[in-house]
Amino acid sequence: MAIQSFGERPVIDADIGGSNGRIGQPIHIQLLDFFGETQLGPIYLGVWGAIAFISGSMFAFIWLMTMFAQVGYNPVAFVKYFAVLQIDPPSAAYGLQWAPFNQGGWWLTSTFFLTLSLLAWEMRLWTRALAHNIKPYLAYGFSSALALYLVIYIFRPMAMGNWSEAPSHGIKALLDWTNNVSVRYGNFYYNPFHMVSIFFLLGSTVLLSMHGATVWSAEKFGAHEEIAEIEAPGTGTERAQLLWRWVMGFNANAYSIHLWAFWFAWLMGITGAIGIFISGTLVHDWFKWAIEAGVNYPQLPYPNVSVPPPPPLPTVVPPGM
Amino acid sequence: MSAVVLDGSRSTRVIGGRTLAQIEADFRKPGRTFFGDIFGFDPFDFWVGPFFVGLWGVTAILGIIIGVYFYADAVIFHGPYSYAQNFIAGRLVPPPAAVGLGLAAPGTEGFKWQMTVLFASLTFFSWMMRQADICRKLELGYHVPLSYSVVFSAWLTLQVVRPIAMGRWSEGFVLGVLPHLDWIIEFGYRYNNFFYNPFHALGITGLFTSTLLLGMHGSAILSATQCRSADPEASLHNFWRDIVGYSIGEDGIHRLATLVAAGAVLVSNLCILSSGWLVKDWVGFWLFWNNLPWWRGV
């Protein structure tokens, strides 16, 4: 890894607030020592950060105040019913039109601010990486989460022609939307993009555990100093590689494991976004789709019915019969 | 920071790294196995290709062969469809509820399921012990087998602990590529609505958090290796402090990663175990919330 300065890259941001755009003084909390660095702060604001924080706060303010109004500004009722209160999008009758505030207008307004906040956050990740002369991989990665959000809240409702397709803002409301979308389109478990997305979700957890545990176990050999170990692998990385080679016949290296990590996490969001976008627009019944595609067959009733006798065997009898 | 690096470890670093042959020549040596430490000799202390075998490798292979035999026999060779269709749609169901916690007789329904679960469990346990053997050989900590034990606990919770808690093997997980999806959705609605299971919500949150952490860590290292500044590590620290006000550091992220991923699976175990055993209806479960004494009248 040739370390060389190529000079400044242009950054579309301005250091507003604090000194050089940074707010607060670094403080040290000794309690954090087990988990990592003890230094907390400072944090950068800048234009994109300001847009992200302000519009994010606007979303939270509209969301919370609308729900607070729903319980007549009674603070006890607000806490009691917090998880079940929600702001609904306009009903299907409004299509993609504006709706009065109490009939979905607050949802449109708050979603506008939420979307603006997330887009500004993406710009913040991008411009901060350029400012520190590192490649904006985190912005690439966040694009996956952004795609999933935009498909669920913006693109798919637009493709379906009304905002009521989007989830309401609320804790129970989000769970209900997830549940309903599965039931409405036949059975989401038969959506192949859902299958692949779940694979990457669980696969990401496995990879995180494998990588974290491997490096933690080789900490005493310096394997956690990954930038140095990528440039010049030492005994820690060698042992970590042999561990997986001896366990499963294959190993990554200190650099390539992070490629695996990045792509697993990125593909989780992207495949999920595709699977949701085509539900209701291209495919209306995933159960029927799976039967037509030949990956599922009309199922025997559940549970514990006796299996019908096997069909006549082919001429070649497989081993173990 | 709390990580202590042994003297001399850093000086072993070679720019570009050593070849696999050089590394293997240094580390592929007999000794330092559990079996050898207990009995003084170890007939299984050898490698096949890249794989270390060991006592637990032998038991793992036995478990794989016998378990796959029962699974393939039931699902593929005696399934209701063609072989190719059976591979996707074939199912292996647990014994009927009437069997309770007994053993299904050979030839009756559920026998092959019990055998598959038994030998799969043997294989998973062996795999974990084999990882521990390899960690001993390489003088590493036991973090990898401990993490593996967490995912093994998820299998045991589904197939052994919960069926025992419910008093019948028929509660076990249906095996098969697509049928296991049917089991999951059926299980979700059997307890009214699984989305209202708080441990399910926490488990899902843990899985998404794990994916987020994986994406953050992977992109951080990739971005720092493709770096225009003179000090990539300082750039990375400053980048994270600019973005979220905190940079956890290179040893901290791996500790957090291990703990978050394990926590997600352990909470998911609770969500499975409590359903049906402690709670029959996850919607009705929340009635307690409205009746808490301090806001019953509100």
Side-chain angles (χ1 to χ4, degrees):
Chain A
M1 186 172 50
I3 295 173
Q4 195 181 342
S5 179
F6 294 88
E8 293 286 308
R9 297 170 84 173
V11 178
I12 324 156
D13 205 345
D15 296 339
I16 58 169
S19 98
N20 295 325
R22 292 184 178 84
I23 298 170
Q25 294 298 317
I27 52 166
H28 290 268
I29 300 172
Q30 211 50 43
L31 215 63
L32 290 173
D33 191 51
F34 177 77
F35 285 106
E37 298 286 321
T38 54
Q39 181 183 339
L40 208 57
I43 190 168
Y44 183 83
L45 185 61
V47 173
W48 297 112
I51 297 174
F53 287 125
I54 291 171
S55 54
S57 306
M58 283 298 288
F59 162 75
F61 181 75
I62 295 172
W63 179 51
L64 294 173
M65 285 312 288
T66 309
M67 299 203 311
F68 203 18
Q70 287 169 3
V71 290
Y73 300 102
N74 178 339
V76 178
F78 185 57
V79 176
K80 178 179 176 182
Y81 296 111
F82 185 78
V84 297
L85 293 173
Q86 62 188 66
I87 319 180
D88 295 321
S91 67
Y94 285 105
L96 292 172
Q97 309 260 306
W98 177 258
F101 275 115
N102 58 359
Q103 290 174 48
W106 283 127
W107 185 93
L108 289 171
T109 316
S110 60
T111 306
F112 168 78
F113 283 115
L114 181 59
T115 310
L116 183 64
S117 171
L118 292 173
L119 291 172
W121 190 262
E122 170 79 353
M123 284 306 290
R124 174 178 162 84
L125 298 182
W126 184 279
T127 52
R128 277 297 88 200
L130 293 197
H132 289 293
N133 284 311
I134 60 177
K135 200 163 182 180
Y137 265 104
L138 191 63
Y140 302 162
F142 189 66
S143 71
S144 163
L146 200 55
L148 186 57
Y149 166 83
L150 288 175
V151 161
I152 291 175
Y153 285 85
I154 312 286
F155 296 153
R156 187 173 164 280
M158 286 175 81
M160 298 286 284
N162 65 76
W163 293 115
S164 67
E165 291 292 333
S168 308
H169 296 310
I171 293 170
K172 172 176 162 290
L174 196 57
L175 301 175
D176 288 342
W177 182 85
T178 314
N179 186 23
N180 294 343
V181 105
S182 176
V183 176
R184 238 174 105 189
Y185 301 109
N187 178 345
F188 232 55
Y189 288 83
Y190 289 139
N191 178 341
F193 289 97
H194 182 262
M195 294 179 193
V196 173
S197 187
I198 294 284
F199 165 78
F200 283 120
L201 179 73
L202 301 182
S204 290
T205 310
V206 169
L207 269 188
L208 185 78
S209 186
M210 286 167 74
H211 176 57
T214 305
V215 172
W216 193 353
S217 73
E219 236 176 28
K220 58 190 168 194
F221 299 114
H224 61 287
E225 293 168 359
E226 290 186 312
I227 309 289
E229 290 279 328
I230 287 169
E231 191 183 355
T235 188
T237 294
E238 288 177 354
R239 286 165 204 259
Q241 290 178 202
L242 283 185
L243 165 64
W244 290 107
R245 186 173 160 77
W246 291 356
V247 166
M248 59 182 193
F250 171 79
N251 64 272
N253 61 38
Y255 177 71
S256 66
I257 185 58
H258 300 99
L259 286 173
W260 284 93
F262 177 84
W263 287 107
F264 259 65
W266 191 78
L267 284 167
M268 189 282 278
I270 294 297
T271 51
I274 297 171
I276 289 172
F277 188 73
I278 61 179
S279 299
T281 51
L282 282 180
V283 180
H284 300 277
D285 185 342
W286 286 109
F287 186 81
K288 216 170 107 198
W289 177 88
I291 290 170
E292 284 167 5
V295 297
N296 193 37
Y297 307 94
Q299 286 292 305
L300 308 164
Y302 184 88
N304 296 323
V305 292
S306 50
V307 178
L313 292 172
T315 46
V316 180
V317 178
M321 289 296 294
Chain B
M1 187 48 219
S2 40
V4 180
V5 178
L6 294 175
D7 287 341
S9 295
R10 290 195 180 96
S11 60
T12 62
R13 286 178 188 155
V14 178
I15 302 252
R18 299 194 294 162
T19 64
L20 196 58
Q22 287 171 318
I23 300 173
E24 288 271 21
D26 265 10
F27 289 100
R28 198 178 268 209
K29 289 172 183 157
R32 293 186 64 86
T33 61
F34 287 117
F35 191 96
D37 286 357
I38 294 167
F39 298 104
F41 73 104
D42 188 349
F44 308 108
D45 191 1
F46 59 90
W47 282 258
V48 173
F51 297 96
F52 173 71
V53 182
L55 169 69
W56 299 108
V58 174
T59 55
I61 283 291
L62 282 177
I64 290 170
I65 291 172
I66 302 173
V68 169
Y69 163 75
F70 279 112
Y71 178 84
D73 188 47
V75 170
I76 297 175
F77 298 134
H78 287 90
Y81 315 112
S82 73
Y83 289 166
Q85 287 171 319
N86 282 337
F87 182 76
I88 302 287
R91 57 162 57 193
L92 182 50
V93 293
V99 172
L101 282 176
L103 294 177
T108 64
E109 189 176 75
F111 171 71
K112 287 171 184 170
W113 181 90
Q114 285 185 333
M115 289 300 112
T116 305
V117 168
L118 174 68
F119 284 100
S121 303
L122 174 72
T123 302
F124 297 153
F125 181 75
S126 303
W127 199 260
M128 179 179 76
M129 295 304 290
R130 184 164 154 270
Q131 287 180 340
D133 248 358
I134 293 171
C135 284
R136 267 175 74 80
K137 265 194 173 319
L138 293 166
E139 296 169 79
L140 297 170
Y142 291 124
H143 302 73
V144 169
L146 278 174
S147 298
Y148 189 84
S149 77
V150 173
V151 75
F152 182 41
S153 79
W155 166 263
L156 287 182
T157 302
L158 275 166
Q159 299 291 48
V160 181
V161 179
R162 188 175 167 280
I164 289 175
M166 299 290 286
R168 48 189 187 272
W169 292 118
S170 62
E171 291 292 331
F173 203 95
V174 175
L175 300 172
V177 175
L178 279 173
H180 93 274
L181 304 178
D182 293 338
W183 185 88
I184 295 172
I185 199 158
E186 192 274 341
F187 189 78
Y189 293 112
R190 203 193 305 171
Y191 303 107
N192 205 341
N193 187 339
F194 221 57
F195 285 94
Y196 292 172
N197 178 340
F199 302 114
H200 180 260
L202 284 174
I204 294 285
T205 307
L207 294 180
F208 278 108
T209 308
S210 296
T211 308
L212 176 70
L213 280 180
L214 189 78
M216 286 166 76
H217 175 60
S219 42
I221 298 298
L222 293 182
S223 64
T225 51
Q226 297 173 36
C227 174
R228 286 160 180 258
S229 82
D231 187 349
E233 285 172 43
S235 293
L236 211 49
H237 275 309
N238 290 332
F239 174 70
W240 283 117
R241 282 173 192 142
D242 273 7
I243 293 290
V244 292
Y246 182 59
S247 174
I248 191 166
E250 45 200 3
D251 43 1
I253 183 59
H254 297 104
R255 296 176 176 205
L256 185 70
T258 311
L259 297 174
V260 168
V265 176
L266 290 174
V267 173
S268 305
N269 286 352
L270 274 184
C271 105
I272 294 292
L273 187 57
S274 55
S275 296
W277 183 39
L278 300 177
V279 180
K280 302 268 188 293
D281 172 5
W282 284 112
V283 179
F285 165 81
W286 286 100
L287 285 176
F288 88 92
W289 183 262
N290 288 348
N291 293 323
L292 288 173
W294 49 83
W295 56 36
R296 190 177 291 154
V298 177

